[in-house]
Amino acid sequence: MVVMICGHFQLSPLSILSSSSSSSSSSSSSSRLQLSSSRCSMMDTHKQGRSKFLEFPYVSAPHKNLMLDLVSKVEDRFQSQLLPCTLPPDVQYYKSSNGTSQVSLHITPANTHSPIDFVMGSWVHAELPTGGSLDITSLSAYLNSSNDAPNFVFELIRSSPTMLILVLDLPPRKDLVLWPDYLKTFYEDTKLDTHRQALEKIPEVQPYVTSSLFIRTVASPTAIFVRIQTEDDGGERIDGIIRDHIDRISKQVLGIWLDDCACAERDVGEEDKAYLRKRDGVIRNKTIEVDLGSSFPRLFGPEAAKQILEAIKEYFTV
Amino acid sequence: MVVMICGHFQLSPLSILSSSSSSSSSSSSSSRLQLSSSRCSMMDTHKQGRSKFLEFPYVSAPHKNLMLDLVSKVEDRFQSQLLPCTLPPDVQYYKSSNGTSQVSLHITPANTHSPIDFVMGSWVHAELPTGGSLDITSLSAYLNSSNDAPNFVFELIRSSPTMLILVLDLPPRKDLVLWPDYLKTFYEDTKLDTHRQALEKIPEVQPYVTSSLFIRTVASPTAIFVRIQTEDDGGERIDGIIRDHIDRISKQVLGIWLDDCACAERDVGEEDKAYLRKRDGVIRNKTIEVDLGSSFPRLFGPEAAKQILEAIKEYFTV
């Protein structure tokens, strides 16, 4: 099972679809003329990749609307800090040679004034041998070592009209045993667990235990890992649950992340920064290995998977 | 809800009930004569407390048999290393002034040749205002810093004939993110998760999420936290589940702990030892505060609870 295709991503508000200049302020004026040609090309690639990403072409309306809203919420907050996606075009969007699998990947790093390291968004569509399809959409955001607050991870995995897995978490960046204040600040005081509790009251919602012990290990104690399985109604009930529950809960959790984590004023000393870089590095490397590294070759073949993963690794390096 | 009354305990095999000399080899011969009087008194106290502990007087036969077998398994392995319980008599067994709550507590430290720091076992019986009773039995074992392997925690909480909570875990003593080899050695290679999976296949077994984020944090990724709720059959089905499933699974997990953790040859350097002492210290302090510190005053009144907790703290200090 593909889990935590660590979705992250994005540049500036959705309105950028009709504007190519919103992030030009991040270039140095002395090199602007020289770079203008490659910059235009890069911006074109960015715009095309971004446009493809925002299509979310295979998921239902409530699912797509939620993704667009989450993307927009992150962009609105960090608009001026996010830089264009510089992934190669065939990594930003890739379709397998037999046409059965597609992936759109959008990674936007942030400028040096930002607490954000990068944001990554993705969708995957794969036709299944059984006749159905697997659709994964994700959005996640990694902070840099100027801020020790948790990251943000959101993923929806729909393996049939009547089966959905939701992963929603603010994974900690410190060992919560050794830093009980961190547990209190980011997980207890924010009442994060109330959102997990609200979701688990829905009759069709069951806890989901990923087979990866590593992914269980990096999850926070308030992580939402749930499986929603409904009667065979063509997907109507699951779309209702997305619209009436997951939509609100995801936005509330993202709101906590934006207000109390990403934008928190944290005093991070040099020793803490070194610790964060080390721990972040292990998590990112293992995430690629455990999650993407096991699923992408199956979906896209070993060669394309390797190319995509190598491109992602550049951003995952701390 | 009382959870993880970190049960640990015990001296030598159950046969010690009829023998008072099995641990005398741990005393120094030069002081043996001087100490003989206080030693006899201590051994008497130990024997009485131990005898009371092993009664498990309020739980069903399969529940009691399992507790005795687990105790015996630990004792058999560490027989010669375990020292008498030196808790004051009124901490080894305490009954509330109104007679509605009782606790038996047995803590046995180990000698300096042992990887064990101490073993603690307990049972609690409390009459509930509703007319039923709450019964908790526990056994846990903490290693010292000569061995960095996980600890052992086992607890059964029966709040009615038809409701049981089981906690069974080998909580890690290192941050599993920073020590992926530790995760592999103790949790992946030992196939610990298969026991959790086996248990969760039983229809009445549901995952149990403790309200304490701290307890979630110290748990391993293969921790068994389950709630078993059955039809109103007087407790027959739950006793069947204990006898046919929990009994075997608990012994298998304890076997893994004995063979692959407590008796593992681990190379622990001075830096690692300091890290273990720090992390163990936080866990032990918080365990008392979060778990026992919140439940004991309610069960036994603030004064008796304070006395019991102060006595336990001596062992919990790293």
Side-chain angles (χ1 to χ4, degrees), chain A residues 175-178 183 187-188 193 196 206-207 209 213-214 216-218 221-222 275 278-279 282-283, chain B residues 175-178 183 187-188 193 196 206-207 209 213-214 216-218 221-222 275 278-279 282-283:
Chain A
D175 177 7
L176 297 178
V177 170
L178 280 179
L183 177 69
Y187 301 96
E188 289 172 355
D193 205 43
R196 190 193 57 75
Q206 295 294 324
V209 183
L213 299 191
F214 170 73
R216 293 185 209 170
T217 295
V218 299
T222 60
Y275 169 83
K278 186 174 176 188
R279 203 170 186 280
V282 175
I283 290 176
Chain B
D175 177 8
L176 297 177
V177 170
L178 281 179
L183 178 68
Y187 301 97
E188 289 172 356
D193 205 43
R196 190 193 57 75
Q206 295 295 322
V209 183
L213 299 191
F214 170 73
R216 293 185 209 170
T217 295
V218 299
T222 59
Y275 169 84
K278 185 175 175 187
R279 205 170 184 281
V282 176
I283 292 176

Side-chain angles (χ1 to χ4, degrees), chain B residues 164-288:
Chain B
L164 180 75
I165 289 170
L166 163 66
V167 174
L168 174 59
D169 193 21
L170 309 188
R173 293 167 67 216
K174 290 183 158 184
D175 177 8
L176 297 177
V177 170
L178 281 179
W179 276 273
D181 285 352
Y182 192 98
L183 178 68
K184 183 173 184 300
T185 301
F186 294 116
Y187 301 97
E188 289 172 356
D189 293 351
T190 55
K191 303 198 190 314
L192 258 175
D193 205 43
T194 55
H195 304 291
R196 190 193 57 75
Q197 290 164 15
L199 205 56
E200 293 204 344
K201 281 190 186 130
I202 301 166
E204 293 93 341
V205 171
Q206 295 295 322
Y208 169 69
V209 183
T210 165
S211 61
S212 162
L213 299 191
F214 170 73
I215 291 177
R216 293 185 209 170
T217 295
V218 299
S220 84
T222 59
I224 293 174
F225 275 74
V226 293
R227 177 201 303 267
I228 303 161
Q229 184 144 26
T230 64
E231 299 287 309
D232 191 7
D233 65 351
E236 205 173 316
R237 172 66 179 143
I238 283 195
D239 282 329
I241 292 174
I242 294 176
R243 191 177 48 238
D244 300 336
H245 302 281
I246 295 178
D247 187 282
R248 176 177 40 81
I249 287 170
S250 307
K251 288 172 185 170
Q252 284 169 339
V253 171
L254 177 58
I256 290 171
W257 182 75
L258 290 169
D259 294 339
D260 301 323
C261 299
C263 297
E265 290 291 331
R266 301 283 297 173
D267 187 16
V268 185
E270 283 310 312
E271 202 178 327
D272 266 3
K273 280 185 182 165
Y275 169 84
L276 287 171
R277 279 192 288 265
K278 185 175 175 187
R279 205 170 184 281
D280 285 350
V282 176
I283 292 176
R284 294 179 186 190
N285 283 334
K286 285 283 284 183
T287 298
I288 290 185

Side-chain angles (χ1 to χ4, degrees), chain A residues 56-161:
Chain A
F56 295 108
Y58 295 98
V59 298
S60 65
H63 186 153
K64 175 173 176 170
N65 290 340
L66 170 56
M67 290 308 301
L68 291 177
D69 287 350
L70 294 178
V71 167
S72 184
K73 239 169 123 67
V74 173
E75 289 182 345
D76 284 351
R77 188 66 67 97
F78 296 106
Q79 184 168 1
S80 62
Q81 298 172 5
L82 296 171
L83 304 173
C85 175
T86 57
L87 288 171
D90 55 351
V91 172
Q92 291 198 36
Y93 172 69
Y94 181 80
K95 190 172 189 170
S96 64
S97 52
N98 62 5
T100 57
S101 300
Q102 299 170 59
V103 59
S104 168
L105 198 60
H106 214 64
I107 302 183
T108 50
N111 67 28
T112 52
H113 306 299
S114 181
I116 303 276
D117 192 3
F118 63 92
V119 182
M120 182 164 101
S122 74
W123 58 257
V124 170
H125 172 75
E127 292 169 20
L128 300 174
T130 52
S133 68
L134 168 72
D135 282 284
I136 305 170
T137 65
S138 75
L139 174 67
S140 46
Y142 288 70
L143 298 177
N144 61 36
S145 62
S146 70
N147 182 338
D148 65 356
N151 291 324
F152 174 77
V153 171
F154 173 82
E155 186 163 287
L156 282 175
I157 303 165
R158 193 141 183 187
S159 55
S160 85

